[in-house]
Amino acid sequence: MLFVVAILWGSSYVFAKLTVEAGMHSGLINACRGTMCVAAGSLIFFKKIRQMTWTDFRLGLVIGTINFLGYYLQTDALRYTTPAKNAFLTTMYIVVAPFLLWLFWHERPQRKAYFSIALSIIGMAILTNVFSGSFHLQYGDFLTLVSTFFWAGQIIFFAKYAPAASSPWVLIFMIGICQGTMGWITTFFFERPTLIHVHWLQALVPLAILAIGITFLAQGMQITGQAYTDATTAGLILMLESFFGSVMSVIMGYDPLTPQLVIGGIILLFANAIMEVDLRSLPFLSQQHHSS
């Protein structure tokens, strides 16, 4: 189930890029996907939503706001960068999360987190062509990096507080409400001049896939699937989203298959894998530990 989620998440970067190319800006994309998600949720989980508790509402509001800000920045970044870069840089949330836990919840990160951060910066530098002589961190790459703080926040809230919700689908319904409401407000105040340039027919299919497949289905499958596996395994499987995102981007012709993309991407994935795996549980390390 989580493997399917990783494929869906990975493909979402290309579908988001297609909606951007159809003339849609980030606020409108989020408004439409949130509205579609709410419509799907209302039809399928009407009974569960009717039994929503005050805890569900508050939790949904917080996670929904974090989710909107993450999606808004990530989608807006696609106007200035490629889907593969967007996908790879987004995986930085796995490295950011331990430091947010330290800052706000006073849970000290493991020593390996510092090594992961250093590796991630090297991987990111290669990926964004910093070593080519001219600093090449595009505006879109910067927006993507800011969005990782919100994705890290969402993962922490899912892990710490989501079990208190009466149903994962109620949370997803609330995420859709926040996405839709904030998206329409952003569109009304900041994006009205851009509406005349939108190719609605061109945008409709990728939008529907983003709303139903990614926002609604993938997040529901993620919460459900994580109940049957440990966090390390789940994290490692979900991390493959950046790999699938880049593969899709290369297939669709948005990114050339360059050595920088491959090497930078592998280093970033390796940095994230270090964060996810308990190194002391690895056979060769645990044997050394016992012998000493």
Side-chain angles (χ1 to χ4, degrees), residues 244-263:
F244 290 120
S246 297
V247 169
M248 285 282 286
S249 188
V250 170
I251 290 169
M252 297 287 283
Y254 289 112
D255 281 280
L257 189 61
T258 61
Q260 287 100 321
L261 187 72
V262 175
I263 296 164

Side-chain angles (χ1 to χ4, degrees), residues 14-62:
V14 168
F15 292 120
K17 184 76 172 177
L18 288 170
T19 57
V20 168
E21 287 179 345
M24 282 192 152
H25 281 239
S26 194
L28 184 61
I29 292 167
N30 283 289
C32 292
R33 71 191 280 172
T35 305
M36 287 176 174
C37 178
V38 167
S42 304
L43 286 170
I44 304 167
F45 298 104
F46 179 66
K47 281 185 180 173
K48 283 193 168 104
I49 291 159
R50 266 180 59 191
Q51 293 163 353
M52 187 191 295
T53 64
W54 180 238
T55 304
D56 293 339
F57 180 77
R58 281 186 308 174
L59 192 57
L61 209 58
V62 174

Side-chain angles (χ1 to χ4, degrees), residues 99-165:
F99 289 91
L100 288 186
L101 277 168
W102 189 14
L103 194 62
F104 296 106
W105 286 272
H106 308 297
E107 293 177 20
R108 190 177 285 275
Q110 296 165 278
R111 274 178 298 184
K112 65 181 181 180
Y114 304 108
F115 181 60
S116 266
I117 286 275
L119 258 189
S120 296
I121 291 166
I122 293 166
M124 200 174 68
I126 294 169
L127 188 72
T128 50
N129 253 336
V130 172
F131 298 134
S132 65
S134 59
F135 188 72
H136 200 62
L137 186 72
Q138 293 168 303
Y139 180 58
D141 301 331
F142 170 73
L143 288 180
T144 308
L145 285 173
V146 177
S147 79
T148 62
F149 285 85
F150 294 103
W151 294 132
Q154 179 176 289
I155 280 183
I156 292 166
F157 271 86
F158 264 141
K160 284 188 167 295
Y161 309 112

Side-chain angles (χ1 to χ4, degrees), residues 206-219:
L207 256 183
I209 292 168
L210 282 173
I212 311 303
I214 317 299
T215 307
F216 187 70
L217 190 65
Q219 282 190 317

Side-chain angles (χ1 to χ4, degrees), residues 161-181:
Y161 309 112
S166 62
S167 161
W169 299 105
V170 172
L171 276 188
I172 289 158
F173 175 79
M174 280 301 298
I175 287 172
I177 292 251
C178 291
Q179 243 184 35
T181 307

